[in-house]
């Protein structure tokens, strides 16, 4: 077995399976014809697809109706902000990007980001910058009993750890969504804006991968065939980047950073005026200085633009599946309600897969994952009540869950109305039976299971 075959095999275990490359062909065709796509249907018409109407369901941990789900689905909560980790420290809040990995005995290990900025490191080891509040925690979860077996800090002293992504070699890449550093108002002692690697079975070395770029990172996805890492940038004018490692599977050995350009439209602005379903060839332009100094949040982006790279609107979630790289533009599109892009690394081409016509249909998607059943899971981060939306292989969009978190101190003294707080970190267990997802504030992780079927998410 070659190294690339081994990476691909491990990646399929992490992501919960792959779908055939042709499974989204119908979606592209339907999206190209606005009279056919779900993008023009009202929310009531969309109830004809999916798993059925949502209803309040009680959490099996607390008894509270924290989520609305379709009939037959159940869930339990764990890993709350304030829950004690194995070292006695409280779980930090601001739960964000996350991935699930196979562990011994049929258990699942979740590596979870905490999008915190200032303060002091929430753990004493491993720490990058003692004056930064973000990082990751790792939870070992037993799906058979619905219990947390272990939970520990796995990276601390980083800043604004928004999303990231799993690797085919069984690690989590955690991304900093800031380029602040010494001399800024947060009191950091070291520069930020980097990617850090976290092993599933221990703690990180807390060393930044500078060659992967210093910019306003959001998420990453890895092509299991090549080991190339794709990186998103969360700013109003954003680039899509790729990192070509010098050694596949060893990102610490350095590599080359590049930014996507549309071959037939140099300097293209994809934020509005795009037509879904149309493939366009791409090329990749060099980023000569991935770790520039002095720096602002456009320092890396500007290098790509000077070389003809394309501009996107707020690129956030990305996920690898079925031979493709899926990328979310949170407020892209004519309605500024979100776009989903699909990159084909084998053919070096990209297309707009789906564009939301209205916030009622899909409101600013953020984190994304590919389901083992062939659809996409989209976490909303909009202006009102937030949902988890499903996008099927047939091009139908539907609502799978709604945030219903209102607390009066029932758990760790947390209080407030959190209905408008974002979902984040959606990821499936390796066997595909459990969907893990966070509500970022106050900081709760959920495990959802039920009658998934074979066609939806």
């Amino acid at each position: 077995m070659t190294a690339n075959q081994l990476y691909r095999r491990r990646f399929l275990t992490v992501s919960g399976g792959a779908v055939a490359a042709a499974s989204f062909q119908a979606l592209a065709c339907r999206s190209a014809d606005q009279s056919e796509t779900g993008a023009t249907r009202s929310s009531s018409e969309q109830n004809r697809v999916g798993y059925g109407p949502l209803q309040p369901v009680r959490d099996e941990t607390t008894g509270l109706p924290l989520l609305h789900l379709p009939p037959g689905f159940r869930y339990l909560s764990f890993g709350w902000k304030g829950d004690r980790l194995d070292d006695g420290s409280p779980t930090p809040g601001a739960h964000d990007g996350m991935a699930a990995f196979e562990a011994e005995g049929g258990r699942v290990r979740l590596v979870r980001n905490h999008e915190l900025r200032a303060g002091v490191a929430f753990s004493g080891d491993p720490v990058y910058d003692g004056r930064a509040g973000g990082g990751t925690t790792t939870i070992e979860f037993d799906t058979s009993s619905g219990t947390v077996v272990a939970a520990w800090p796995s990276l601390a002293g980083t800043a604004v750890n928004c999303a990231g992504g799993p690797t085919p070699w069984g690690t989590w890449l955690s991304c900093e969504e800031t380029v602040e550093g010494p001399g800024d108002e947060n009191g950091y002692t070291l520069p930020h804006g980097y990617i850090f690697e976290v092993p599933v079975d221990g703690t990180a070395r807390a060393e930044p991968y500078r060659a992967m770029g210093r910019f306003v990172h959001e998420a990453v996805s890895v092509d299991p065939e090549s080991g190339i890492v794709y990186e998103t940038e969360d700013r109003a004018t954003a680039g899509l980047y790729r990192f070509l490692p010098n050694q596949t599977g060893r990102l610490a050995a350095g590599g080359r950073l590049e930014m996507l350009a549309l071959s037939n439209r140099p300097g293209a602005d994809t934020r509005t005026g795009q037509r879904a379903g149309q493939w366009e060839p791409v090329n990749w332009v060099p980023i000569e200085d991935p770790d520039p100094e002095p720096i602002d949040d456009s320092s890396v982006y500007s290098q790509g633009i000077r070389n003809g790279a394309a501009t996107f609107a707020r690129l956030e979630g990305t996920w690898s599946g079925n031979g493709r790289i899926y990328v979310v533009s949170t407020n892209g599109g004519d309605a500024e309600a979100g776009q989903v892009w699909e990159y084909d690394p084998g053919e070096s081409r990209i297309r707009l897969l789906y564009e939301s016509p209205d916030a009622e249909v899909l409101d600013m998607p953020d984190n994304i994952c590919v389901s083992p059943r062939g659809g996409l899971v989209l976490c909303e981060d909009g202006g009102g009540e937030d949902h988890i939306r499903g996008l099927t292989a047939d091009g139908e969009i539907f609502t799978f869950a709604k945030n219903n978190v209102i607390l009066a101190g029932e758990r760790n003294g947390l209080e407030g109305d959190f209905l408008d707080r974002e979902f984040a970190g959606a990821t499936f267990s390796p066997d595909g039976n459990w969907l893990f997802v966070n509500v970022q504030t106050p900081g709760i992780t959920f495990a959802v299971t039920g009658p998934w079927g074979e066609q939806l998410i």
Side-chain angles (χ1 to χ4, degrees):
M1 181 179 294
T2 67
N4 281 344
Q5 287 173 327
L6 178 60
Y7 294 147
R8 177 170 177 80
R9 183 174 174 184
R10 288 178 178 172
F11 179 79
L12 297 182
T13 299
V14 171
S15 63
V19 297
S23 64
F24 282 98
Q25 188 59 46
L27 170 56
C29 294
R30 294 168 72 90
S31 295
D33 182 349
Q34 290 298 307
S35 66
E36 294 292 329
T37 182
T40 57
R41 283 189 288 271
S42 69
S43 58
S44 61
E45 289 174 311
Q46 290 179 60
N47 286 334
R48 294 180 300 187
V49 298
Y51 294 97
L54 304 190
Q55 57 193 13
V57 179
R58 292 192 177 274
D59 173 24
E60 294 181 6
T61 301
T62 65
L64 300 171
L66 302 176
L67 297 178
H68 288 192
L69 293 171
F73 283 87
R74 64 185 184 87
Y75 69 98
L76 50 87
S77 68
F78 60 99
W80 288 62
K81 176 184 177 181
D83 285 358
R84 293 294 169 181
L85 300 171
D86 292 352
D87 65 358
S89 63
T91 296
H95 300 11
D96 210 285
M98 184 169 64
F101 301 83
E102 186 175 13
E104 293 182 0
R107 297 170 179 170
V108 175
R109 279 189 178 165
L110 299 162
V111 186
R112 180 184 59 191
N113 273 8
H114 298 276
E115 193 183 8
L116 297 167
R117 186 180 297 271
V120 297
F122 63 81
S123 172
D125 182 56
V127 174
Y128 170 65
D129 181 348
R131 295 295 303 171
T136 66
T137 53
T138 301
I139 299 175
E140 185 163 321
F141 183 78
D142 187 340
T143 56
S144 63
S145 63
T147 58
V148 172
V149 177
W152 65 90
S154 46
L155 172 67
T158 50
V160 199
N161 297 71
C162 196
T167 71
W169 48 90
T171 63
W172 168 256
L173 298 177
S174 185
C175 299
E176 293 186 307
E177 193 187 1
T178 181
V179 295
E180 295 176 311
D184 290 331
E185 62 182 11
N186 288 304
Y188 298 141
T189 62
L190 293 170
H192 293 270
Y194 298 112
I195 293 174
F196 295 78
E197 190 164 17
V198 184
V200 174
D201 58 356
T203 59
R205 297 179 63 185
E207 295 180 358
Y209 288 164
R210 299 178 186 274
M212 299 185 75
R214 184 185 179 192
F215 55 87
V216 184
H217 284 284
E218 175 72 23
V220 300
S221 56
V222 185
D223 177 8
E225 296 293 341
S226 64
I228 293 174
V229 183
Y230 295 87
E231 309 176 25
T232 62
E233 180 177 34
D234 187 4
R235 54 191 305 274
T237 52
L240 177 60
Y241 302 87
R242 72 175 185 180
F243 179 72
L244 291 81
N246 291 333
Q247 299 179 38
T248 304
R250 291 195 60 213
L251 304 180
R256 185 170 76 252
L257 187 67
E258 298 175 333
M259 186 170 166
L260 181 141
L262 298 181
S263 300
N264 297 333
R265 292 194 287 156
D269 188 336
T270 71
R271 292 177 292 178
T272 58
Q274 306 304 298
R275 180 175 175 80
Q278 180 178 342
W279 287 106
E280 294 189 73
V282 310
N283 60 285
W284 296 86
V285 302
I287 300 298
E288 302 293 349
D289 187 359
D291 189 16
E293 193 66 50
I295 191 169
D296 60 39
D297 66 4
S298 67
S299 296
V300 172
Y301 165 83
S302 297
Q303 295 178 52
I305 292 301
R306 288 195 294 269
N307 290 324
T311 294
F312 295 85
R314 289 194 61 195
L315 293 184
E316 295 209 73
T318 179
W319 203 269
S320 176
N322 84 8
R324 302 287 198 262
I325 303 295
Y326 298 97
V327 179
V328 167
S329 170
T330 290
N331 64 344
D334 295 342
E336 299 184 345
Q339 298 168 322
V340 180
W341 294 86
E342 179 184 14
Y343 174 66
D344 178 356
E347 298 294 331
S348 195
R349 59 182 184 167
I350 196 169
R351 65 178 173 181
L352 177 61
L353 185 65
Y354 182 85
E355 180 172 307
S356 175
D358 186 271
E360 186 179 353
V361 176
L362 175 65
D363 188 12
M364 301 182 72
D366 188 333
N367 285 184
I368 182 176
C369 75
V370 178
S371 162
R373 283 159 288 274
L376 301 180
V377 177
L378 301 167
C379 296
E380 284 188 336
D381 183 15
E385 293 184 348
D386 283 324
H387 304 82
I388 298 173
R389 309 284 189 181
L391 187 60
T392 75
D394 293 326
E396 303 283 0
I397 194 164
F398 64 93
T399 304
F400 174 71
K402 186 176 81 166
N403 178 353
N404 194 49
V405 178
I406 300 175
L407 301 172
E410 296 93 340
R411 180 85 172 212
N412 300 338
L414 299 172
E415 298 181 348
D417 180 334
F418 303 101
L419 298 179
D420 62 348
R421 302 307 172 93
E422 68 181 281
F423 283 105
T427 183
F428 280 94
S429 60
D431 63 9
N433 290 330
W434 292 83
L435 173 65
F436 298 97
V437 68
N438 301 316
V439 168
Q440 189 184 71
T441 308
I444 311 170
T445 299
F446 297 98
V448 182
T449 191
W452 296 110
E454 298 180 355
Q455 298 296 321
L456 303 175
I457 63 168

